[in-house]
Amino acid sequence: MTPANSSTVFIIDDDDLVRAAIQGMLKSVGLRSEAFGAAQEFLRSKRPDEPSCLVLDVRLPGVNGLDFQRDLADAGIRIPIIFITGHGDIPMSVRAMKSGAVEFLTKPFRDQDLLDAIYQALDRDRASREDQSKLAGLQKSYKSLTAREREVMDLVVKGRLNKQIAFDLGTSEITVKIHRGHVMHKMQADSLAELVRMAAKLELPPDSRG
């Protein structure tokens, strides 16, 4: 479970009593929360850069919660969403889940069901943030490679042998070995298999030697 002191649960619901009840429940288990009565209030708020999730009412003044889910995705705001509603139906829940919602709860729901969904959402966001951080590190390492080192890496991950790479690039096998060593060191790869996985995560184009 994500530590309470490093995560925030956002709540958007136009019902004051519902917001207060959810915040009270979260406070009782040590989870920090921020509540809003409308979607635009949430968008205008300054959100901390830490694991978080959004408890979102489907029916809100001025905007449908499902449409807001799409708007957030379009705006590049990636936050796990738990929908709550007093007027849910199966097509609505299917649409929400297909769009990446963690859970779709119909009022009245058990506090524990909401808590379970919140913990799942926070853990999902934490994992996503860790993945993004690792990817940023990989991208930084890749940018540190020289143009020739990128050429060598491209051919290495394609399974070419040193002598084949030397022929392709018109250089000596010794030079290729030196470049290959630089690549492994700068990318902090312990094995060829790990370098191949890194290249896959970087989603390098088929010909990345330019």
Side-chain angles (χ1 to χ4, degrees):
M1 292 182 182
T2 305
N5 61 359
S6 62
S7 59
T8 301
V9 180
F10 297 104
I11 305 153
I12 305 178
D13 195 304
D14 61 340
D15 188 320
D16 295 345
L17 294 178
V18 171
R19 294 200 306 272
I22 294 176
Q23 283 199 286
M25 178 196 67
L26 295 174
K27 185 176 181 180
S28 72
V29 296
L31 282 170
R32 185 168 61 239
S33 66
E34 293 183 26
F36 308 90
Q40 291 305 315
E41 292 178 17
F42 170 75
L43 290 177
R44 288 194 296 266
S45 69
K46 185 176 181 180
R47 297 175 295 279
D49 184 15
E50 62 188 18
S52 58
C53 69
L54 175 59
V55 178
L56 179 62
D57 190 13
V58 172
R59 294 193 175 183
L60 294 167
V63 64
N64 177 283
L66 296 172
D67 291 337
F68 187 59
Q69 177 187 32
R70 185 189 62 238
D71 292 342
L72 289 174
D74 291 344
I77 301 175
R78 306 188 183 282
I79 181 171
I81 296 175
I82 300 150
F83 279 103
I84 57 175
T85 182
H87 312 278
D89 55 37
I90 292 176
M92 192 183 291
S93 64
V94 169
R95 177 184 166 188
M97 300 303 282
K98 280 187 174 181
S99 296
V102 175
E103 186 59 274
F104 192 97
L105 299 174
T106 302
K107 303 173 184 176
F109 45 78
R110 295 191 315 136
D111 285 355
Q112 191 59 51
D113 290 339
L114 179 57
L115 270 179
D116 289 345
I118 285 171
Y119 283 128
Q120 180 185 346
L122 291 174
D123 285 342
R124 179 188 292 187
D125 196 43
R126 180 180 58 186
S128 175
R129 286 168 176 273
E130 289 175 353
D131 288 343
Q132 287 300 313
S133 177
K134 290 177 182 177
L135 178 58
L138 278 181
Q139 291 170 336
K140 183 177 180 180
S141 295
Y142 183 72
K143 287 179 180 178
S144 74
L145 300 180
T146 65
R148 179 46 61 96
E149 287 166 354
R150 292 183 190 183
E151 290 178 319
V152 171
M153 176 175 168
D154 177 63
L155 293 169
V156 166
V157 299
K158 288 177 180 175
R160 304 285 283 173
L161 301 175
N162 286 347
K163 60 182 179 181
Q164 295 172 319
I165 296 173
F167 178 81
D168 291 341
L169 299 181
T171 188
S172 70
E173 191 173 344
I174 291 296
T175 300
V176 170
K177 286 182 179 179
I178 292 172
H179 286 311
R180 184 169 180 160
H182 289 166
V183 168
M184 298 297 284
H185 174 71
K186 289 182 179 180
M187 295 302 296
Q188 300 180 47
D190 295 326
S191 65
L192 173 58
E194 187 176 3
L195 190 67
V196 171
R197 286 194 293 271
M198 289 177 173
K201 289 179 180 178
L202 287 167
E203 297 182 343
L204 301 179
D207 187 356
S208 58
R209 292 175 286 171

